[in-house]
Amino acid sequence: MNNQESLAPYLSIRQIFSERTMRDLILFVSLFLFTISQEWNNFLLLLFPLMTFLIGFFFRLVDENKWRTKFQDSPVSYSPLGSERKHANRFIFSALLLQIFLFWIGAESLYHPQLIDNYSVFFVILFIFIYNFTFFWIFIDIWKYCQIKVEIERGTEELTRKVEVYDNLIEFLDINFFKHITYISLYSFLALTFLNLILTLFTYFGGMPGFSYDLPGSGLESSPPLYLHYFVFLILIASPFITVLLLYLVYRNINQIKPDKLFELLDKVPKNLRLLILEQLRMLNKKLLKESNLE
């Protein structure tokens, strides 16, 4: 870790926001501004890509600044939430896709208003499906990256033997726990998707009460608005709420280090490396060693 950065009381905006982070931010904000320039009267649907992007942007910031929590050449790899980079890529991709969909439907309502009625129901179903799927997507392979690991990079042939001894998983996501998390996420995704499908079809064709959602071109050439069911507000909140809850459970599970496994590893390493590992774990999570009775 750079000494000057470690002594600084806080990080500047320039230090926090990397080139990749700024690229994602500029791209999404540009699409968002292009969309609202179509003069949307209701911003409800714009909250879906905005919510998705904010979560992805959070993971991007964590990923880009994760190195600041490590000592230089630290052997500890700490990933209690899995791969933040993959999470960020998936959320930001979906946010951009949702934003493009909104821009497209807005443009269609302005330039081809007579066609909106032909596929508005399919747009609503697909739009909500992409939103819900994104929150399930990150749990598909979270078990591969969710771990606390001690490793030494292979530098010379002399270190090869030591690498084989020190390269050790202290904690990883238990397969049974992973199955439970995946099942909860999958069933939640299917339930919300099925609920949206049924309610959307009933709203359009079954006379179920809902509310009209004006597009920028609604009313041109007698083009109708979109029709949304009232549970769309529940779906907007439910998916991120369930995801945050599951990630918290994953985080808590990973941070329950088994003392015998860590002691077994520490007995094999030199004293200076042992102190570095313990100090790194203490810095990453102050409660980690205390809760595991390792202090």
Side-chain angles (χ1 to χ4, degrees), residues 219-278:
L220 295 177
E221 299 185 16
S222 301
S223 62
L226 296 179
Y227 294 100
L228 303 177
H229 52 80
Y230 291 106
F231 281 91
V232 72
F233 299 101
L234 173 65
I235 293 175
L236 175 64
I237 300 173
S239 289
F241 175 79
I242 294 171
T243 298
V244 170
L245 178 61
L246 293 180
L247 285 176
Y248 169 74
L249 295 176
V250 169
Y251 176 85
R252 190 177 67 174
N253 180 268
I254 283 296
N255 282 307
Q256 294 176 349
I257 290 182
K258 299 177 180 62
D260 54 342
K261 186 177 294 187
L262 182 57
F263 284 136
E264 181 182 352
L265 171 67
L266 294 178
D267 288 340
K268 299 177 182 178
V269 301
K271 183 178 180 180
N272 60 336
L273 185 56
R274 187 184 312 159
L275 295 175
L276 178 62
I277 293 172
L278 289 174

Side-chain angles (χ1 to χ4, degrees), residues 41-208:
N41 295 325
N42 191 326
F43 281 10
L44 173 62
L45 289 184
L46 277 78
L47 293 178
F48 285 83
L50 182 60
M51 177 80 74
T52 308
F53 177 78
L54 289 177
I55 296 175
F57 193 68
F58 165 77
F59 281 117
R60 179 71 76 207
L61 288 176
V62 173
D63 176 59
E64 292 295 314
N65 293 278
K66 192 173 183 179
W67 63 272
R68 300 183 189 278
T69 65
K70 299 180 65 175
F71 293 113
Q72 187 174 3
D73 300 325
S74 171
V76 179
S77 176
Y78 182 67
S79 302
L81 296 178
S83 174
E84 293 88 357
R85 178 167 300 182
K86 283 186 175 294
H87 297 341
N89 290 340
R90 291 170 180 177
F91 273 107
I92 292 175
F93 169 79
S94 295
L96 294 175
L97 184 61
L98 290 173
Q99 197 63 59
I100 291 172
F101 268 39
L102 284 180
F103 181 81
W104 168 76
I105 196 71
E108 282 291 289
S109 70
L110 290 170
Y111 300 110
H112 303 100
Q114 70 279 7
L115 301 178
I116 290 297
D117 194 37
N118 296 337
Y119 46 73
S120 60
V121 61
F122 301 107
F123 169 81
V124 174
I125 293 173
L126 181 60
F127 187 82
I128 301 298
F129 171 84
I130 295 174
Y131 177 76
N132 286 330
F133 177 75
T134 306
F135 291 90
F136 163 70
W137 193 6
I138 67 171
F139 292 103
I140 293 178
D141 56 358
I142 194 173
W143 63 274
K144 293 182 181 179
Y145 311 100
C146 196
Q147 59 189 15
I148 302 176
K149 186 176 183 180
V150 175
E151 56 185 347
I152 299 178
E153 296 181 359
R154 298 176 184 271
T156 63
E157 294 182 359
E158 181 181 356
L159 287 176
T160 301
R161 183 182 61 83
K162 294 183 180 180
V163 170
E164 293 174 353
V165 174
Y166 299 157
D167 191 3
N168 197 344
L169 280 174
I170 299 177
E171 191 62 49
F172 57 91
L173 201 59
D174 179 73
I175 190 64
N176 290 326
F177 183 81
F178 163 71
K179 287 181 179 179
H180 295 325
I181 291 293
T182 304
Y183 288 151
I184 295 174
S185 177
L186 175 61
Y187 294 150
S188 300
F189 160 67
L190 293 177
L192 291 173
T193 301
F194 182 75
L195 178 66
N196 175 66
L197 174 63
I198 296 300
L199 294 181
T200 299
L201 292 177
F202 273 108
T203 301
Y204 270 86
F205 307 114
M208 179 178 174

